[in-house]
């Protein structure tokens, strides 16, 4: 039996915030629907009112604001993957978006949905973490912006209030001294949910890595940076030995954060190997 | 719960329908409009059998609420032929025997149609990547891939004329 609910489709942000103000906890927001429709079909949607934000044009833009790239929550994974601005200034995000689901899912699913649904396996999140993205949450009374790493409380849990809407995602545009990579491991290449995904950004100064950012998804309770490994890489001339050491540290950090589980025996070497591959790709060595 | 009135254009024809908020586009196509070419498979977004085109892009009709497509133009497999003349993609699937049980075929063809809309000359790799979202247990994909590449070639020829 499917969930039953009333439906509202506001055509402006103001109207949407009014509805969320009035009905708060009783609402659920829908955009692309790729996650929510499954809950609806299973009869698991608890909300009385479905608020469809897909008809709010101002939430659908990718634009440059000075040195920042600003993405509306309705931008689809397909649009991210084919955006020239993203390719140039944040290619790691474009590649992450291009690894989501299938062509159909990428035409439907949105970056906002990927962020809000808070699946630990979300592919865009590690990319947004290394981009040091900020998310802006808005309600009728005002708005707040915070780093994406502060947005998550646990798997499928975020700090967003019932009256709030995610209205934009912003991060600094990267110049071409930044190298990047995104790799995911799943049961198969297409249409599979990530078991482990990794995003790497490295700012190069001649041969030296001036700054390195590493985030792994699906393997830690909340999205985070691998700071100990980043410290090992910072200032180093990337070599096979340094990469090996950093990969080992990431695997250790992953285990420290998620605890030892039955899958750890498999995941530790898998994470290590995958990080090695991601770092080699970012530094363009040993491939 | 209250029904909502929507207007949708399916294969060039506009329909006014009263729909429940929880009804999907797939429900409407099959049960109201009798367009049963579009299939229901996994109902989870994994098999591609329910693929249709909206604004020239491939989407999954089982994961789309009917109320969300109010005002939109939808193309299904039934909208591809021109009168008695099959679309080149359909013709090519027949010619290459790319159909066995046929259940996945409309989804495959609608996914291929969307690919060719923005890429008239796809590589074999691009075709294979596109078809990765259409589960097929019969054909082994060899013949559908050949059929799509051949149809693309024929369609490019037609455009040039």
């Amino acid at each position: 039996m499917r969930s039953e609910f009333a439906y509202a489709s506001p055509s402006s942000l103001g109207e949407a915030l009014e509805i969320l103000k009035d009905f708060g906890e009783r609402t659920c927001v829908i955009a692309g629907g790729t996650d929510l429709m499954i809950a609806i079909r299973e009869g698991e949607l608890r909300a009385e009112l479905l608020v469809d934000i897909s008809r709010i044009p101002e939430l659908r833009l990718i634009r440059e604001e000075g040195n920042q790239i600003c993405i509306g929550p309705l931008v689809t994974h397909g649009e991210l993957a084919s955006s020239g601005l993203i390719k140039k200034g944040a290619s790691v995000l474009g590649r992450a978006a291009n690894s989501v689901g299938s062509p159909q899912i990428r035409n439907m699913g949105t970056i906002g949905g990927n962020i809000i649904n808070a699946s630990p396996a979300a592919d865009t999140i590690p990319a947004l973490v290394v981009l040091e993205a900020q998310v802006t949450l808005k309600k009728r009374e005002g708005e707040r912006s915070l780093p994406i790493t502060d947005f998550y409380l646990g798997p499928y849990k975020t700090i967003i209030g019932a009256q709030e809407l995610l209205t934009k995602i912003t991060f600094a545009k990267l110049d071409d001294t930044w190298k990047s990579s995104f790799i995911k491991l799943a049961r198969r290449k297409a249409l599979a949910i990530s078991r482990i995904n990794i995003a790497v950004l490295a700012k190069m100064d001649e041969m030296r890595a001036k700054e390195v950012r590493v985030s792994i998804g699906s393997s830690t309770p909340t999205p985070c940076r691998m700071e100990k490994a980043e410290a090992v890489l910072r200032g180093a001339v990337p070599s096979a030995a340094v990469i090996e050491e950093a990969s080992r540290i990431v695997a250790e950090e992953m285990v420290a954060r998620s605890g030892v589980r039955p899958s750890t025996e498999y995941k530790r070497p898998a994470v290590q190997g995958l990080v090695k591959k991601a770092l080699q790709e970012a530094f363009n060595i040993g491939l | 719960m209250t029904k909502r009135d929507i207007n949708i254009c399916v294969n060039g024809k506009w329909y006014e329908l009263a729909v429940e908020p929880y009804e999907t586009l797939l429900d409407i196509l099959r049960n109201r409009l009798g367009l049963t070419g579009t299939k229901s498979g996994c109902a989870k977004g994994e098999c591609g059998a329910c693929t249709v085109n909206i604004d020239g892009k491939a989407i999954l009709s089982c994961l789309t609420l009917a109320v969300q497509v109010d005002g939109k133009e939808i193309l299904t497999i039934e909208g591809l032929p021109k009168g008695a003349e099959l679309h080149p993609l359909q013709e090519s699937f027949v010619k290459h025997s790319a159909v066995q049980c046929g259940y996945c075929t409309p989804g495959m063809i609608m996914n291929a149609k969307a690919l060719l809309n923005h890429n008239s000359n796809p590589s074999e790799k691009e075709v294979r990547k596109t078809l990765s979202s259409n589960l097929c247990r019969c054909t082994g994909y060899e013949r559908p891939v050949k059929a799509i590449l051949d149809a693309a070639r024929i369609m490019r020829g037609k455009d040039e004329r």
Side-chain angles (χ1 to χ4, degrees):
Chain A
M1 188 63 200
R2 287 191 201 167
S3 307
E4 294 208 1
F5 46 83
Y7 172 82
S9 58
S11 55
S12 71
L13 181 56
E15 200 186 325
L17 297 180
E18 285 292 325
I19 295 170
L20 293 179
K21 170 82 188 164
D22 292 344
F23 297 95
E25 303 282 352
R26 291 150 68 193
T27 64
C28 183
V29 172
I30 188 168
T34 51
D35 288 313
L36 208 53
M37 281 306 297
I38 293 165
I40 289 173
R41 193 181 299 278
E42 303 289 324
E44 285 167 1
L45 185 77
R46 297 281 163 259
E48 293 163 37
L49 178 65
L50 195 66
V51 183
D52 177 8
I53 59 167
S54 68
R55 290 172 197 274
I56 305 176
E58 62 196 280
L59 299 181
R60 196 172 278 283
L61 304 169
I62 306 180
R63 59 181 197 275
E64 252 177 301
E65 278 178 9
N67 190 35
Q68 300 271 307
I69 293 177
C70 181
I71 301 170
L74 292 181
V75 172
T76 64
H77 297 111
E79 286 162 351
L80 279 177
S82 63
S83 156
L85 182 58
I86 297 295
K87 252 181 214 144
K88 206 163 164 288
S91 65
V92 68
L93 180 60
R95 269 175 288 154
N98 202 35
S99 78
V100 174
S102 64
Q104 294 96 317
I105 296 285
R106 289 194 291 278
N107 284 336
M108 302 166 73
T110 64
I111 185 167
N114 210 225
I115 292 171
I116 296 285
N117 191 46
S119 159
D123 285 315
T124 63
I125 295 174
L128 291 169
V129 168
V130 294
L131 287 165
E132 299 187 335
Q134 296 263 325
V135 292
T136 299
L137 308 176
K138 200 166 187 170
K139 59 180 174 180
R140 206 178 58 180
E141 287 80 13
E143 64 174 40
R144 54 176 174 155
S145 291
L146 58 149
I148 186 143
T149 41
D150 292 350
F151 183 62
Y152 294 99
L153 296 171
Y156 304 99
K157 285 201 182 80
T158 76
I159 61 159
I160 196 165
Q163 298 183 353
E164 284 179 315
L165 194 65
L166 170 66
T167 52
K168 63 179 175 182
I169 301 107
T170 45
F171 48 82
K173 200 170 49 176
L174 304 178
D175 62 30
D176 56 14
T177 61
W178 286 92
K179 306 297 171 201
S180 68
S181 61
F182 178 87
I183 293 185
K184 88 182 220 182
L185 182 66
R187 281 203 179 139
R188 66 181 187 120
K189 274 190 179 163
L191 256 175
I193 289 167
S194 288
R195 291 292 188 268
I196 304 165
N197 45 17
I198 295 172
V200 173
L201 276 185
K203 186 176 173 61
M204 301 305 289
D205 184 11
E206 307 276 317
M207 293 300 288
R208 218 163 271 283
K210 216 173 158 187
E211 189 184 343
V212 181
R213 304 178 193 163
V214 180
S215 178
I216 61 173
S218 320
S219 318
T220 55
T222 53
C224 58
R225 295 264 294 274
M226 295 284 124
E227 282 155 11
K228 285 182 197 154
E230 291 180 358
V232 167
L233 293 161
R234 192 177 306 125
V237 176
S239 65
V242 171
I243 286 175
E244 194 71 52
E245 173 68 356
S247 315
R248 195 185 54 75
I249 293 172
V250 171
E252 265 173 25
E253 273 190 274
M254 182 275 289
V255 176
R257 281 174 193 270
S258 58
V260 175
R261 299 170 186 213
S263 62
T264 303
E265 199 179 333
Y266 156 77
K267 268 201 173 176
R268 192 201 308 256
V271 165
Q272 192 169 337
L274 218 58
V275 172
K276 189 172 151 184
K277 209 169 138 189
L279 290 172
Q280 285 173 336
E281 195 183 305
F283 294 128
N284 197 19
I285 60 166
L287 286 177
Chain B
M1 294 287 166
T2 41
K3 288 197 176 188
R4 308 256 314 190
D5 289 328
I6 62 165
N7 286 284
I8 54 173
C9 178
V10 181
N11 302 332
K13 194 176 163 195
W14 283 92
Y15 298 88
E16 192 180 342
L17 301 158
V19 301
E20 297 285 356
Y22 57 77
E23 283 185 284
T24 64
L25 173 58
L26 179 66
D27 297 331
I28 301 301
L29 291 173
R30 290 182 60 86
N31 304 339
R32 302 281 195 91
L33 305 182
L35 298 172
T36 53
T38 308
K39 305 301 183 197
S40 173
C42 69
K44 284 182 185 158
E46 291 176 358
C47 77
C50 69
T51 303
V52 300
N53 288 183
I54 295 185
D55 301 330
K57 284 184 180 167
I59 64 107
L60 302 173
S61 60
C62 83
L63 292 187
T64 303
L65 288 175
V67 284
Q68 286 200 290
V69 296
D70 187 12
K72 299 241 162 100
E73 292 189 29
I74 296 134
L75 183 68
T76 74
I77 188 78
E78 290 90 346
L80 285 188
K82 291 231 162 66
E85 193 190 336
L86 290 179
H87 185 276
L89 272 166
Q90 295 173 304
E91 198 75 69
S92 189
F93 266 65
V94 173
K95 187 178 136 202
H96 288 269
S97 300
V99 178
Q100 285 187 32
C101 88
Y103 201 83
C104 70
T105 312
M108 269 196 189
I109 291 182
M110 295 316 290
N111 201 12
K113 171 78 170 72
L115 169 71
L116 300 184
N117 283 344
H118 65 90
N119 181 358
S120 63
N121 192 10
S123 65
E124 182 179 330
K125 198 179 165 196
E126 286 168 320
V127 171
R128 286 187 179 275
K129 204 175 167 209
T130 299
L131 286 189
S132 68
S133 54
N134 294 92
L135 287 190
C136 171
R137 303 291 84 159
C138 310
T139 64
Y141 295 93
E142 287 298 321
R143 285 161 190 262
V145 170
K146 279 192 188 125
I148 292 166
L149 288 169
D150 200 27
R153 190 180 53 78
I154 288 162
M155 286 163 73
R156 284 194 306 277
K158 271 191 181 163
D159 287 346
E160 281 154 24
R161 238 178 279 149

